[in-house]
Amino acid sequence: MYFVDTDPSRINFVNKNRQGKRVGTRRKEMLLELYKNKTQNEPNLKPSKLMRVLSQDTGIGYTTIKDTVQKYLFEQGITQKKIARKLYENIGTSEKCKILQKIHSFWCRHKIPTLKNISFAINADLGLPSLSVCELKKVLKDLHFEYTPCNYRLRALTEKENIVLWRRKYLEDIRHYRNEGRTIYYLQETWINAEEYSTKDLWADKEPSGEGKRIIVVHIGSVEGFVGGGLLCFESKTNTSNYDDHMNGDIFYEWFCGILPLLRENSVIVFDNASYYSVENHVPTMSWKKDSILKWFEGKGIVLDRPMVKFQLIEKVKNTRLIYDNYRRSVQEAINHNIDVLRLPPYHCHLSPMQLAWEVVARHEKINKCSSSKLDDVRQLLNDGVNLVTTEMWAEYVNFSITNEEILWNLDIITDKIMDETVTAKINLVTSSESSSD
């Protein structure tokens, strides 16, 4: 028998499982709840020790516990009724940001993250989506991780060189600008499902499902608060699941040019990593089919005056891409206004205080559900939420972002140190082995 409590922290087995007695489905479910509670309260506990502790507490054999937990983590179920798991396509930007932070937390605790222990940690965290190993590998690829051998048995999850360099440069630049006393503005965008936004979380950062109208929202703010009159809110004219199709680059560019005169002179703008103004986004290359290249020109309103072969088309792309690249156009406009621009590394949204500011707007939206789907009513609801974010709150959010900057600054140093120590240990082991053979 076991005691059932709605509070996972108080789950307890009153009578241990008798030796040789079959462990039923219900008892396994209780075991998994106890496992989740243990991993949350004691995150530094090694998996092998955790299994032994669970075995002692429950009377269930070590092997049965290990098999049950592994089946839950890797196969997502202990019976024919499987625990719901998320597919790769349904994982949003905010969830990927949390997974990135989870991996970083391993390095910060001086532990080497591997595919296995990260899979355990993610699936044990109730705040993260449950993923199979296959789905997790796809997410890790999006997060720009690679597998680096660090000894004879382990392959560490390390970020690719370009991401580390991007992050280091961002942290160095923003420190420099802050020391100069320059005002730093943070720009971010999101979307709302116009027909369902009253019942769904705002700023979910998930790909639109393709059903219903989309309201695109953009805003900018600093430690002084949201910029007055800076809310951009418009209805998408497309009904596809591709987020890039919803954000109209020309509308964004026009809004951005109107915002620049409202900002302090010699300030800095931090762009998030939205793909619609990405330098590399949707620019034809030789790998594209010729029809797709022609459609790209057609979408930009460019009329070709004569038939061209593929090489000629790509050459014309190179000559015109600067004109239609929203990010570069925006950067140039900022420079013209004596404003510098920084770009957040991919999935580093926790470096932007705008994330926390959006949460206040989200709570206001959920409490004051608007029954109308008219754009003006939605805009008013958003503006009311924006007005709730005070200057004091913004200052707190900025300080929190600065704390995260410090954590990431130390992260790369810690990673280098751990990897160096691992390589040194590996060399010493090889040298010792060779000496013994001599």
Side-chain angles (χ1 to χ4, degrees), residues 49-60:
K49 186 175 181 180
L50 174 58
M51 301 301 171
R52 288 194 294 271
V53 171
L54 290 175
S55 180
Q56 292 172 0
D57 290 347
T58 63
I60 301 174

Side-chain angles (χ1 to χ4, degrees), residues 268-400:
V268 180
I269 300 177
V270 176
F271 278 74
D272 67 357
N273 204 46
S275 58
Y276 64 83
Y277 46 63
S278 172
V279 176
E280 300 176 356
N281 185 53
H282 292 322
V283 177
T285 64
M286 284 300 294
S287 63
W288 284 38
K289 292 184 178 180
K290 188 174 181 179
D291 287 344
S292 298
I293 300 175
L294 293 174
K295 287 180 180 179
W296 184 84
F297 279 112
E298 182 180 345
K300 297 291 183 290
I302 300 176
V303 179
L304 302 177
D305 55 0
R306 67 185 189 282
M308 295 184 183
V309 298
K310 200 170 183 179
F311 284 112
Q312 290 176 304
L313 290 173
I314 294 300
E315 185 63 26
K316 190 169 182 65
V317 166
K318 294 178 181 178
N319 294 333
T320 58
R321 63 177 292 183
L322 287 177
I323 300 175
Y324 293 93
D325 191 314
N326 296 310
Y327 177 72
R328 290 187 177 180
R329 286 200 299 170
S330 301
V331 169
Q332 187 57 55
E333 283 297 328
I335 292 174
N336 293 343
H337 284 77
N338 194 30
I339 294 175
D340 285 306
V341 171
L342 284 178
R343 187 97 179 271
L344 282 175
Y347 304 107
H348 283 64
C349 49
H350 51 299
L351 292 180
S352 173
M354 186 70 82
Q355 286 292 117
L356 296 173
W358 282 148
E359 291 181 7
V360 177
V361 183
R363 285 194 295 270
H364 174 76
E365 182 274 336
K366 293 176 73 173
I367 295 173
N368 303 276
K369 296 176 181 178
C370 182
S371 58
S372 172
S373 60
K374 292 182 180 180
L375 184 59
D376 288 341
D377 294 334
V378 176
R379 184 183 289 109
Q380 183 59 51
L381 178 66
L382 296 175
N383 267 319
D384 291 342
V386 164
N387 292 333
L388 295 176
V389 187
T390 64
T391 303
E392 292 76 17
M393 294 167 70
W394 260 99
E396 181 182 343
Y397 301 155
V398 170
N399 287 334
F400 185 74

Side-chain angles (χ1 to χ4, degrees), residues 11-17 27 31 34 38 42 50-60 65:
I11 292 175
N12 183 35
F13 285 76
V14 176
N15 295 327
K16 293 186 177 181
N17 199 68
R27 202 165 182 83
L31 168 64
L34 186 60
K38 286 281 187 183
E42 302 178 64
L50 174 58
M51 301 301 171
R52 288 194 294 271
V53 171
L54 290 175
S55 180
Q56 292 172 0
D57 290 347
T58 63
I60 301 174
I65 290 179

Side-chain angles (χ1 to χ4, degrees), residues 108-142:
C108 291
R109 299 199 310 269
H110 295 264
K111 287 194 170 186
I112 297 177
T114 64
L115 180 63
K116 184 176 181 179
N117 60 25
I118 287 299
S119 178
F120 268 69
I122 290 174
N123 288 323
D125 190 331
L126 299 180
L128 290 174
S130 187
L131 299 171
S132 67
V133 173
C134 182
E135 301 295 318
L136 177 57
K137 286 181 178 179
K138 295 178 183 178
V139 173
L140 293 175
K141 184 178 180 181
D142 281 351

Side-chain angles (χ1 to χ4, degrees), residues 41-106:
N41 294 336
E42 302 178 64
N44 296 327
L45 199 61
K46 292 183 178 180
S48 58
K49 186 175 181 180
L50 174 58
M51 301 301 171
R52 288 194 294 271
V53 171
L54 290 175
S55 180
Q56 292 172 0
D57 290 347
T58 63
I60 301 174
Y62 177 89
T63 302
T64 301
I65 290 179
K66 182 178 179 181
D67 291 344
T68 302
V69 171
Q70 286 187 343
K71 191 172 184 180
Y72 162 69
L73 294 176
F74 290 94
E75 298 180 12
Q76 302 304 307
I78 57 175
T79 64
Q80 291 182 350
K81 184 181 179 181
K82 292 193 173 183
I83 298 173
R85 68 182 179 193
K86 276 211 167 183
L87 296 177
Y88 164 76
E89 292 78 8
N90 298 328
I91 300 174
T93 301
S94 61
E95 292 169 320
K96 290 179 181 178
C97 290
K98 292 178 182 177
I99 292 174
L100 177 65
Q101 292 177 65
K102 175 70 72 174
I103 299 173
H104 286 169
S105 71
F106 270 69

Side-chain angles (χ1 to χ4, degrees), residues 380-431:
Q380 183 59 51
L381 178 66
L382 296 175
N383 267 319
D384 291 342
V386 164
N387 292 333
L388 295 176
V389 187
T390 64
T391 303
E392 292 76 17
M393 294 167 70
W394 260 99
E396 181 182 343
Y397 301 155
V398 170
N399 287 334
F400 185 74
S401 296
I402 294 174
T403 300
N404 286 330
E405 289 173 14
E406 292 298 322
I407 292 173
L408 289 177
W409 181 264
N410 294 326
L411 166 74
D412 297 318
I413 298 173
I414 293 172
T415 303
D416 280 351
K417 182 179 179 181
I418 293 176
M419 293 303 291
D420 284 346
E421 290 174 351
T422 306
V423 171
T424 303
K426 179 179 178 181
I427 293 174
N428 291 339
L429 181 62
V430 172
T431 305

